[in-house]
Amino acid sequence: MGPEVRFHLLGPLVVTADGRPVPLGGAKQRVLLAHLLLNANRTVTPGQLVDTIWPGDPPTSAAANLQTYVWRLRRLLPEGPVLRTHGPGYSLVVDTETVDARRFTRLVADATRAGAPESALELLAEAESLWRGDPLEDLPTAPAWDAELGRLVENRLAAVEERLSLQVRLGRHDAAIAELTVLLAEHPYRERLWQQYLLALTGAGRRAEALQAYSTARERLVTELGVEPGPELRAVQAAILAGEPVAAPPGVPPPLRQLPADLPDFTGRSEYVRDLERALGPAAVVLTGAPGTGKTALAMHVAHRVADRFPDGQLYVDLAGTGIPRDPAEVLADFLHALGVTGNTVPAGLGQRAALFRSRLAGRRVLLVLDDAATAAQVRPLLPGDAGCAVLVTTRGRLPELAGAKHVELTVFGEDEASRLLAGVAGVDRVVGEPAEAAAIVRCCGYLPLAIRIAGARLAGRQAWSLRTLHDRLADESSRLSELRVGDLGVRPSFELSLRQLPADARTAFCRSAVLGAQDFPSWVVDALLDRDGAHEVLDVLVDANLVSLAGRDSGGNPRYRLHDLLRCYAAELLAADPSQPETLARVLTVLLALAKTAAAGLPPAFGAMTGPSVGAPVATAGLVPDPLGWFTAERKLLAAAVQLAADAGLHELAWQLTATAVPFYDLRGAYDDWRRSHLTALAAVEAAGNGAGAAVLYRGLGQVRLYHDEYAAAVSDMERSASLFSSLGDVRGEALAVAGLGTVARVRDRPREALGFYRRALAGLERAGDRRGVAQVRNSLGTTYASMGSFAEADSWLRQARELAREIEDPHREAKVLTELGTLHRDKGALPESLACLRLALSILEELADERCSAYALLGIGQTLLAAGERTQARGVCDRALRVFRETGNRQGETTGLELLEQAQRRRIPSAAARN
């Protein structure tokens, strides 16, 4: 049996065998080993190793020398790890648990998944004990290591923050305060540490000191960095001022709480509740039953009762099995977003998303409620792999092919339960006063909970009615809903009775409300359904009639509504006979498009986004978009569904305009998955209809989102297709925007001369088209490209022209983007005060516009300039905030640049010149 070998990177490079140090030779051999360990179990090319060992100036004998170092290293390494040759490359095959950096990462991940705070603290303490200094602090600097070492440094501090957060949550405030005081002296600009400090002081009853600490933090940030505190730190201070409970800091995400509300008058089902509570465990539980038996109500009731068994949260989704079943890949994207995975960090494929979802739930105790499933194939990718999670599925049909699942079939109410539910809704006194009529009513309702609720609501809203009156109306068997039966009992009488009691316009609105499918909707939809303004009273009638229910409120506090599944099916049946159905759908989608255009106009523009001509709404829309960003956030799912509805109905013009209009929102929030999916849906519709203009716009948008995903070949193909289509249509502006996109792809791929050709061609087209905003953007792009080539005079000229035009057309967002590039140019020229002035002005504009992504790039620029000025501590401070945004939006390129900057700001190792000695 060989020795126990350990590799230590978190400090000076050390290799031990059975606890004794192993001699590793000279500096270059040690650099070689360090690079192989940082890329453990991966093949590294000789070119990468040469660049790392001799950065910038390799000798002519580098290749031969490298082979010698590899040979010597093989002889020095103890038994266990294997240094292999793969063609021209090399790999060091090791057990990752023997590498302290990998072990540290694993322990932190385990702590994140640990259910008990005490267990998490133990794991974090073990992880921190692995650190003996700065990573590889005894070796020469190597630019190839910057991102990885920066990631390790950042993760170390994040682990410390997580541990301190747990201590604060457990009430160990004094110990946390003492440690935070020391940490803030070393990291005076790290806002997450200040957040923990304020929380600890507040928890210790030292509110005045917490407020003073905020003032100190703000003064340092503003005076020394030129930036205001971020929204999270401001939120903590506001909560302290208001005397409100202070929310956990961003580093400690709150448990997920997605369950819809439990019914306050839930009745009966005691045996089912008991059985389901017992059944919930590692195996999925499938609750089946006929329509209207109350599967969802029972599932919600049980889920709320067992919620404390799942402290890491509850996830809920309506799978829409009775309508257009939701794609499990789309559902997984929503779940991953809820779990903190955003932007292009959400994988593209169903299998990859399912694997990441299982990984995110590993070690957690989470309850998933999958409501209204269509098939087992829809459910399988949504199942967690961890035994600590539980799944409750509701479905109308049995799912026998769902291996290992426990199946519970829900029958109709018994007579006693049905009567108690009727009494709970209509009033106990009335049911007690007419027991025979109450029994007859629930019999006519087929003992189905939904039908009984509707009947009870009718009685509750009509106090003058006797129960006999309602019984007589329900007794008409000829009007029962034929396709929804239990035995020889139906529920149509309660539905038709509900409609019969409505005014004509309410009946019309109810029938037409099915056009949107299984979507929550805002109140203006009823105006569009009826093609008139002021239809709110109709919505009130439908709500009072229990035909439309309140589904909660959106992020702006506005109410949203929906139809219960059975009622939606009933409405859809009636709508199918309505000849005005196509016009109704087009009218609703037109109003939605008009509102989307209004909202998009209030967001920072996305270059290249084309939304088509303005549209007039057939109903009043004034005041419906007070907050553009909040509106898009609230209507995000409705917009995606609307694109699909428009495409399915052949409304191709509406389909492409709806998705294209949402591009500024998608761009601002990094919602790349929605962007791609809706564009592809609309593209299929416009190409089937021969709509060249719509296809040209959509190919331009697809090219942009593919560029964000680093899919360069596909981006070029889409942009070229867009340019060709615009050219054939004689659309000079559209062609120019597509060509500018080709320039950006070339620039990102480090082909500056190719990029210049595209940009000059695009500039000429935009000038001919009179698009001054586009001209400003392309001038900015030309300046950026010249700067990358070292042509500073040309770059300065183009950037100043771009800024001047942006100010002329009053486009602050474009001006801020140009200022960011000017700041970079000044830094490259060595004019550091001018660089900071430009970047800080850009940041103030972008933060006022709430553009987090561009603000992060401005912060990164400030950090790079501060580092160039030798202000390492300040550079780390602004880099920290930028990194948080890049991670939240899934911006891999920005995160890598930020980590490299963090490592450079942290670096205390030997300068690279020492590697030549």
Side-chain angles (χ1 to χ4, degrees):
M1 184 173 179
E4 182 183 25
V5 182
R6 297 282 178 180
F7 299 94
H8 306 275
L9 308 179
L10 304 179
L13 176 63
V14 175
V15 179
T16 61
D18 289 333
R20 294 187 296 274
V22 174
L24 299 174
K28 293 182 176 61
Q29 272 178 212
R30 294 166 64 81
V31 170
L32 167 64
L33 175 60
H35 194 81
L36 291 170
L37 285 169
L38 288 171
N39 295 276
N41 303 320
R42 294 197 298 264
T43 301
V44 180
T45 67
Q48 292 172 327
L49 291 169
V50 168
D51 290 342
T52 301
I53 298 171
W54 296 277
D57 187 20
T60 54
S61 60
N65 291 349
L66 174 61
Q67 292 179 348
T68 299
Y69 295 144
V70 170
W71 176 77
R72 290 177 180 171
L73 191 59
R74 280 199 177 106
R75 296 186 63 192
L76 290 170
L77 287 174
E79 181 183 349
V82 179
L83 178 49
R84 291 178 176 168
T85 302
H86 299 275
Y90 305 95
S91 70
L92 185 60
V93 181
V94 298
D95 177 356
T96 55
E97 277 293 297
T98 66
V99 183
D100 60 356
R102 296 290 185 90
R103 181 172 171 77
F104 167 78
T105 301
R106 196 266 299 166
L107 286 167
V108 172
D110 288 349
T112 302
R113 294 191 293 264
E118 294 288 357
S119 300
L121 280 173
E122 290 179 7
L123 290 164
L124 289 171
E126 184 180 353
E128 289 181 53
S129 71
L130 297 172
W131 286 79
R132 299 166 294 110
D134 291 333
L136 302 176
E137 63 182 20
D138 61 326
L139 294 183
T141 57
W145 299 346
D146 282 350
E148 182 59 30
L149 297 189
R151 181 176 288 105
L152 285 169
V153 170
E154 170 66 15
N155 289 346
R156 178 190 189 183
L157 193 49
V160 172
E161 289 171 339
E162 174 67 10
R163 174 176 54 77
L164 288 166
S165 172
L166 290 168
Q167 290 178 214
V168 172
R169 287 167 57 189
L170 292 170
R172 302 171 189 175
H173 303 119
D174 292 340
I177 291 168
E179 187 172 354
L180 283 161
T181 301
V182 175
L183 284 169
L184 282 168
E186 185 179 355
H187 304 278
Y189 311 109
R190 191 169 175 95
E191 294 188 37
R192 281 175 287 181
L193 288 176
W194 283 107
Q195 291 165 28
Q196 299 285 3
Y197 191 46
L198 266 62
L199 289 167
L201 287 169
T202 304
R206 297 157 63 176
R207 179 175 177 272
E209 291 179 62
L211 293 172
Q212 180 57 48
Y214 175 82
S215 298
T216 301
R218 182 183 180 278
E219 182 179 1
R220 287 184 178 176
L221 291 168
V222 173
T223 303
E224 299 170 27
L225 298 187
V227 301
E228 286 285 344
E232 294 88 357
L233 185 55
R234 294 199 303 269
V236 172
Q237 184 242 11
I240 296 171
L241 281 172
E244 298 173 349
V246 182
V252 186
L256 300 160
R257 298 285 187 258
Q258 293 189 346
L259 292 178
D262 190 9
L263 286 175
D265 57 353
F266 183 85
T267 302
R269 304 300 198 190
S270 56
E271 290 186 13
Y272 284 105
V273 170
R274 187 166 53 251
D275 291 345
L276 288 171
E277 288 182 0
R278 290 174 182 160
L280 282 174
V285 178
V286 180
L287 181 61
T288 62
T293 49
K295 299 180 294 296
T296 297
L298 175 58
M300 290 307 103
H301 185 67
V302 171
H304 279 280
R305 284 174 59 93
V306 302
D308 59 351
R309 285 166 46 185
F310 303 94
D312 294 315
Q314 302 87 44
L315 292 168
Y316 170 83
V317 64
D318 180 355
L319 293 174
T322 55
I324 301 175
R326 292 193 63 186
D327 184 344
E330 178 186 336
V331 174
L332 283 168
D334 289 344
F335 279 169
L336 288 170
H337 287 155
L339 291 165
V341 183
T342 58
N344 59 11
T345 57
V346 177
L350 173 62
Q352 293 173 305
R353 289 182 180 183
L356 181 57
F357 178 59
R358 291 191 295 270
S359 296
R360 282 287 172 140
L361 291 186
R364 297 188 182 187
R365 287 182 288 169
V366 174
L367 172 65
L368 283 78
V369 179
L370 310 179
D371 194 19
D372 193 19
T375 63
Q378 186 189 32
V379 170
R380 281 194 201 97
L382 310 179
L383 299 179
D386 200 279
C389 296
V391 181
L392 180 56
V393 183
T394 73
T395 177
R396 292 189 178 187
R398 294 180 177 86
L399 304 179
E401 63 272 43
L402 201 60
K406 300 177 182 178
H407 296 268
V408 177
E409 185 168 358
L410 186 63
T411 61
V412 297
F413 266 164
E415 185 172 353
D416 180 62
E417 287 179 316
S419 297
R420 281 194 285 126
L421 177 58
L422 183 65
V425 178
V428 175
D429 292 343
R430 298 175 74 183
V431 171
V432 171
E434 298 181 76
E437 300 301 335
I441 289 171
V442 296
R443 280 199 306 273
C444 289
C445 290
Y447 301 102
L448 291 175
L450 176 61
I452 295 168
R453 282 190 174 279
I454 293 173
R458 290 287 161 263
L459 290 169
R462 293 163 177 77
Q463 293 296 319
W465 278 14
S466 67
L467 267 64
R468 176 59 183 269
T469 303
L470 179 57
H471 173 208
D472 290 343
R473 293 173 179 270
L474 291 177
D476 184 4
E477 295 184 3
S478 64
S479 58
R480 292 186 179 178
L481 202 60
S482 58
E483 72 273 20
L484 296 176
R485 302 182 66 86
V486 178
D488 57 354
L489 293 174
V491 298
R492 186 185 290 276
S494 54
F495 289 161
E496 291 198 342
L497 173 61
S498 299
L499 248 65
R500 261 193 243 127
Q501 306 303 314
L502 296 178
D505 53 0
R507 287 198 299 272
T508 301
F510 171 76
C511 298
R512 292 178 178 176
S513 61
V515 296
L516 288 176
Q519 301 299 320
D520 296 346
F521 58 85
S523 59
W524 62 259
V525 166
V526 177
D527 286 10
L529 293 174
L530 296 176
D531 197 15
R532 69 176 178 83
D533 297 332
H536 294 293
E537 78 283 356
V538 175
L539 183 57
D540 292 339
V541 169
L542 292 172
V543 171
D544 289 343
N546 210 29
L547 291 172
V548 171
S549 58
L550 185 66
R553 295 184 179 274
D554 61 27
S555 56
N558 301 305
R560 300 187 71 80
Y561 304 88
R562 71 176 298 134
L563 272 68
H564 185 280
D565 290 340
L566 295 181
L567 290 167
R568 175 172 47 80
C569 292
Y570 181 48
E573 176 187 303
L574 300 174
L575 182 65
D578 184 350
S580 67
Q581 179 181 358
E583 292 80 7
T584 299
L585 177 61
R587 188 166 57 248
V588 173
L589 297 185
T590 299
V591 177
L592 181 63
L593 176 60
L595 291 170
K597 287 181 179 292
T598 300
L603 295 183
F607 179 69
M610 292 165 279
T611 61
S614 60
V615 296
V619 296
T621 58
L624 293 180
V625 189
D627 171 18
L629 184 57
W631 186 89
F632 269 115
T633 301
E635 304 300 348
R636 178 175 171 175
K637 289 187 177 180
L638 180 58
L639 277 166
V643 173
Q644 185 69 61
L645 287 168
D648 291 344
L651 302 172
H652 52 89
E653 188 72 15
L654 281 168
W656 81 256
Q657 288 201 48
L658 281 165
T659 184
T661 301
V663 163
F665 170 72
Y666 295 151
D667 196 36
L668 187 63
R669 280 292 178 259
Y672 303 140
D673 201 53
D674 288 356
W675 184 340
R676 183 197 296 261
R677 183 173 56 250
S678 60
H679 267 52
L680 289 172
T681 297
L683 182 61
V686 298
E687 289 192 324
N691 186 336
V697 171
L698 294 171
Y699 274 117
R700 175 63 176 83
L702 279 170
Q704 189 69 39
V705 78
R706 293 191 201 279
L707 172 59
Y708 286 159
H709 278 100
D710 302 331
E711 299 170 4
Y712 300 130
V716 168
S717 177
D718 287 339
M719 295 287 191
E720 288 179 342
R721 179 65 173 151
S722 174
S724 175
L725 285 167
F726 277 127
S727 177
S728 67
L729 295 168
D731 188 332
V732 175
R733 175 178 178 270
E735 182 183 2
L737 290 174
V739 170
L742 289 168
T744 301
V745 177
R747 178 167 58 84
V748 171
R749 299 175 81 178
D750 197 23
R751 300 174 180 176
R753 297 199 177 280
E754 182 182 334
L756 287 176
F758 284 126
Y759 283 142
R760 289 186 180 280
R761 180 179 155 198
L763 181 64
L766 291 168
E767 287 176 338
R768 287 199 305 275
D771 182 354
R772 303 184 75 200
R773 178 173 287 174
V775 168
Q777 165 62 23
V778 175
R779 287 178 178 175
N780 182 44
S781 299
L782 282 163
T784 302
T785 306
Y786 273 116
S788 71
M789 300 168 65
S791 302
F792 294 153
E794 290 91 341
D796 186 78
S797 174
W798 282 111
L799 290 173
R800 291 187 184 281
Q801 290 180 56
R803 185 187 180 192
E804 180 181 351
L805 182 54
R807 298 179 76 175
E808 284 180 14
I809 61 178
E810 299 181 344
D811 185 347
H813 189 268
R814 178 58 47 212
E815 182 184 3
K817 295 288 290 292
V818 177
L819 284 166
T820 302
E821 298 299 337
L822 277 169
T824 302
L825 178 63
H826 285 310
R827 181 176 64 252
D828 291 343
K829 292 163 61 178
L832 303 186
E834 291 84 352
S835 173
L836 285 175
C838 286
L839 289 163
R840 284 170 173 163
L841 178 56
L843 179 63
S844 66
I845 296 171
L846 292 166
E847 287 188 330
E848 187 174 346
L849 294 171
D851 188 339
E852 290 185 339
R853 185 170 64 87
C854 291
S855 293
Y857 277 109
L859 282 165
L860 198 58
I862 292 171
Q864 290 167 327
T865 302
L866 288 169
L867 183 61
E871 301 289 351
R872 294 191 175 192
T873 303
Q874 294 180 358
R876 287 204 309 267
V878 292
C879 179
D880 170 65
R881 193 193 293 185
L883 271 173
R884 185 172 67 250
V885 175
F886 289 138
R887 283 172 171 162
E888 289 173 352
T889 58
N891 188 326
R892 290 192 296 265
Q893 184 180 25
E895 181 183 0
T896 298
T897 305
L899 289 169
E900 291 171 349
L901 173 61
L902 185 68
E903 165 58 15
Q904 293 160 15
Q906 182 77 12
R907 185 177 294 154
R908 299 191 184 98
R909 297 197 306 279
I910 307 164
S912 59
R916 303 191 187 101
N917 297 332

